[in-house]
Amino acid sequence: MYMSNIEKEKQIIAAYQQEESKMVLLFAQWCINNDVNPMELYSKAYPGQGQNKLLTDILPLTVPKEEAYHISSQLLLDVLASYGNDDLAFVIQEYLMKKK
């Protein structure tokens, strides 16, 4: 079946948005697991952006840390790097250094 360029673009955008949502959920759950406020950490990384709608929408999907799977800090940093979220990764690394 032939797909037009517009259909292909829509499909690519939808796939990217779905993957971006997974990345944000991973970040939010890591924060919950580590007793960190995800909105605060995000604001430190991106102070001029205000509230992130996707993060706000995803927060209700997190579970209490007692019910969550372990998410390693390195996994989170790798995922953030793959999406170009270097500022957020830097703030997380700062947090981890202070924690030690």
Side-chain angles (χ1 to χ4, degrees), residues 4-5 8 20 27 36 41 43 48 52 79 84 88 91 93:
S4 72
N5 285 341
K8 286 179 187 177
E20 183 182 30
F27 163 71
V36 177
L41 206 57
S43 292
N52 180 297
V79 170
L88 188 54
V91 169
Q93 285 183 315

Side-chain angles (χ1 to χ4, degrees), residues 6 13 20 30-31 35 57-58 73 75 81 83 87 93 96:
I6 292 173
I13 290 169
E20 183 182 30
W30 178 89
C31 287
D35 300 317
D57 292 346
I58 292 230
S73 299
L75 172 65
Y83 277 86
D87 293 339
Q93 285 183 315
L96 293 170

Side-chain angles (χ1 to χ4, degrees), residues 42-51:
Y42 185 86
S43 292
K44 285 182 184 177
Y46 305 106
Q49 280 191 7
Q51 204 170 39

Side-chain angles (χ1 to χ4, degrees), residues 20-39:
E20 183 182 30
S21 294
K22 290 176 187 177
M23 184 241 348
V24 172
L25 180 58
L26 185 75
F27 163 71
Q29 190 63 58
W30 178 89
C31 287
I32 300 299
N33 292 358
N34 288 278
D35 300 317
V36 177
N37 181 325
M39 299 302 271

